[in-house]
């Protein structure tokens, strides 16, 4: 990622002279002053952004080229044949190299937030700015909507939000007002007449005196183009980018907009899959005397088929279930919904016999979806007796957490549902003490750790054993502590295909 320091004064046309010995990004740093020059605080007229008189003009922009090195040679000697063309070609190659390196950095970003930040950094280097922000607000209204700043904190972005929307170039571009398609330049905010007083106050507070804004539009520049948002770069002094700089940043942002459009569409898909999965799971957990429940569900980026359930049963009993369908994406989510609904029906009819419930579920899965398998764990819970009768099909064993013990429940080894011609396995019983918690979970919790299976189980055991005594009376706190400890980021790798389900039942 580009490292934009506190003041970037980059001149793109000076890069060819340095690129023979260093990369483009190193050449950027060549012209980044260590401290803020005193001249920046002195009054001066507006100037072209990023052009510093102390930086020598590049060779391919020199007005004349001498053909003789002798002291008496004429000063107006004509150019050697082809020298000017070669000079221009060198400049074009330099520009292409710059854009290539910047776009290479951009395509390596795989999240929307990372891509927006890279866009700001690269754009700031191209236009010679130090700060900026980008607002993602797709014109179709489907989102995602977000604002990211460069060199601007949350409070700074909040100050900008207090300015009337159409008083800012960013707002005018987002609203699609005429005259904003090619960008908006404000070379000297405090010299402009008719500037909104609130805009003037915020600019003075944040310390910027000029801005350059560009629309982010995916597709060709036609009526069918999709406007994604806008980016604006802020200057600490009156300034504006040269025509050459505008051309370069325009090429870059057009490419960046296409990349952002793809990431935004992926973000929409992920959000839709998470919403569908959440809607297929219980909207709330039942309240049954004698037991407290808590559940945590983390959907993977691709949408997985992990699920959980808790439903009241006759005779003040409670059915507890967790499971996982093979595969990912919409088909796995749909299969998960069908499997969970079927298990609820079987549990109501014969929940006191967990083996019969899973046997019926296995038969249904084999007949209706023979190409798919699933793991499942169903427990018939009797809160008054503090007892759970369990049956599992290829699922990880529950974990029992109490004041004097933290141990995995021994369950019989069995195949997942749909793997054998006929599934069958014996049930086991858990007898809990008052105040103890039973943790049911899916394999995704173990897989997201990235550890081998034995180490993942050891990590889960250590996380449960390390729950502070003060938190053990609240199953919500127990579930959160276990997730934070097993998966420090509470979700695991961003590109993981594994869902995470954790169901905690504490006996009173």
């Amino acid at each position: 990622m580009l490292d934009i320091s506190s003041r970037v004064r980059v001149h793109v046309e000076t890069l060819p002279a340095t690129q023979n010995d260093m990369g483009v990004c190193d050449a950027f740093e060549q012209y980044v002053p260590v401290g803020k020059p005193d001249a920046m605080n002195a009054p001066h007229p507006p100037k072209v952004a990023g052009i510093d008189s102390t930086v020598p003009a590049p060779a391919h922009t020199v007005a004349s080229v001498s053909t003789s090195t002798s002291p008496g040679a004429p000063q107006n000697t004509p150019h050697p044949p082809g020298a000017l063309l070669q000079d221009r070609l060198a400049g074009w190659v330099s520009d292409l190299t710059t854009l290539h390196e910047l776009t290479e950095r951009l395509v390596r970003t795989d999240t929307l937030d990372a891509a927006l930040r890279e866009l700001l950094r690269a754009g700031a280097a191209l236009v010679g700015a130090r700060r900026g922000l980008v607002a993602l607000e797709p014109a179709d209204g489907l989102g995602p909507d977000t604002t990211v700043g460069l060199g601007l904190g949350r409070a700074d972005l909040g100050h900008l939000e207090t300015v009337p929307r159409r008083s800012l170039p960013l707002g005018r571009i987002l609203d699609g007002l005429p005259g904003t398609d090619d960008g908006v330049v404000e070379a000297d905010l405090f010299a402009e007449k008719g500037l909104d007083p609130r805009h003037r106050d915020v600019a003075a507070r944040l310390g910027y005196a000029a801005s350059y804004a560009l629309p982010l539009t995916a597709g060709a520049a036609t009526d069918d183009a999709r406007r994604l948002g806008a980016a604006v770069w802020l200057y600490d002094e009156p300034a504006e980018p040269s025509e050459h700089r505008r051309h370069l940043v325009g090429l870059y942002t057009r490419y960046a907009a296409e990349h952002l459009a793809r990431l935004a569409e992926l973000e929409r898909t992920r959000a839709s899959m998470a919403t569908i999965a959440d809607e297929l799971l219980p909207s709330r957990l039942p309240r049954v005397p004698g037991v407290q429940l808590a559940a945590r569900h983390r959907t993977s980026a691709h949408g997985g088929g992990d699920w959980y359930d808790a439903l009241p049963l006759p005779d003040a009993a409670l059915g507890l279930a967790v499971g996982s369908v093979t595969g990912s994406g919409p088909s796995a989510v749909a299969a998960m919904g069908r499997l969970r609904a079927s298990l609820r029906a079987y549990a109501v009819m014969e929940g006191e016999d967990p083996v019969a419930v899973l046997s019926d579920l296995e038969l249904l899965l084999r007949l209706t979806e023979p190409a798919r398998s699933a793991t499942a764990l169903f427990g018939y819970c009797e809160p008054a007796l503090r007892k759970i009768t369990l049956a599992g099909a290829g699922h990880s064993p529950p974990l029992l957490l109490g004041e004097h013990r933290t141990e995995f429940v021994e369950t019989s080894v069995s195949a997942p549902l749909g793997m054998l011609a006929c599934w069958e396995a014996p049930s086991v019983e858990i007898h809990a003490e008052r105040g103890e918690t039973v943790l049911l979970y899916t394999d995704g919790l173990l897989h997201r750790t990235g550890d081998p299976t034995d180490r993942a189980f050891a990590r889960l055991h250590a996380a449960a054993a390390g729950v502070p005594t003060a938190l053990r009376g609240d199953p919500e706190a127990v579930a959160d502590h276990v997730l934070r400890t097993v998966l420090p980021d509470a979700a695991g790798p961003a590109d993981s295909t594994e869902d995470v389900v954790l169901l905690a039942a504490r006996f009173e």
Side-chain angles (χ1 to χ4, degrees), residues 109-378:
T109 59
D110 55 3
T111 64
L112 192 58
D113 183 75
L116 292 173
R117 296 186 185 280
E118 178 61 27
L119 165 67
L120 281 176
R121 293 187 182 100
L126 289 174
V127 303
R130 186 172 68 91
R131 294 178 293 173
L133 69 149
V134 57
L136 198 67
E137 189 177 305
D140 57 14
L142 299 179
D145 296 345
T146 186
T147 301
V148 176
L150 172 69
L152 298 172
R154 188 184 300 270
D156 299 330
L157 296 177
H159 285 308
L160 287 169
E161 290 177 355
T162 65
V163 180
R165 182 180 175 96
R166 296 199 173 183
S167 298
L168 292 171
L170 199 69
R172 298 199 293 274
I173 290 176
L174 293 175
D175 290 341
L177 296 183
T180 61
D181 292 339
D182 295 328
V184 179
V185 178
E186 291 180 332
D188 191 347
L189 286 172
F190 301 105
E192 287 192 11
K193 297 180 180 179
L195 186 68
D196 185 274
R198 182 57 186 165
H199 189 186
R200 190 187 306 274
D201 292 342
V202 170
R205 178 188 291 270
L206 300 184
Y208 69 89
S211 66
Y212 178 57
L214 277 178
L216 299 175
T217 304
T222 66
D223 294 338
D224 297 329
R226 293 176 297 158
R227 178 155 292 170
L228 299 176
V232 59
W233 291 276
L234 308 176
Y235 300 98
D236 296 344
E237 56 188 9
E240 62 179 305
S242 66
E243 183 178 354
H244 180 232
R245 287 172 174 271
R246 294 184 199 180
H247 177 67
L248 287 179
V249 76
L251 292 174
Y252 177 78
T253 53
R254 281 197 291 274
Y255 179 87
E258 298 294 339
H259 184 62
L260 292 175
R262 291 189 290 270
L263 292 178
E265 188 63 29
L266 179 60
E267 195 71 22
R268 289 178 182 179
T269 303
R270 290 176 176 174
S272 298
M273 293 301 303
T275 300
I276 294 173
D278 289 341
E279 290 296 324
L280 291 174
L281 296 175
S283 57
R284 62 182 181 86
L285 296 174
R287 294 184 178 181
V288 178
V291 65
Q292 295 176 296
L293 300 175
R296 296 292 182 268
H297 179 227
R298 300 287 185 268
T299 306
S300 69
H302 303 282
D306 287 18
W307 51 276
Y308 68 93
D309 207 350
L311 68 156
L313 297 176
D315 302 325
L318 180 69
L320 301 175
V322 293
S324 176
V325 176
T326 56
S328 61
S331 63
V333 174
M336 175 267 287
R338 293 191 295 267
L339 200 67
R340 173 179 170 267
S342 301
L343 185 141
R344 289 174 70 91
Y346 298 143
V348 170
M349 293 186 295
E350 49 190 0
E352 67 279 1
D353 185 357
V355 173
V357 172
L358 292 187
S359 296
D360 293 342
L361 192 65
E362 193 273 340
L363 179 60
L364 176 71
L365 185 68
R366 183 156 47 88
L367 293 176
T368 59
E369 301 186 56
R372 193 180 298 276
S373 63
T375 65
L377 185 69
F378 178 74

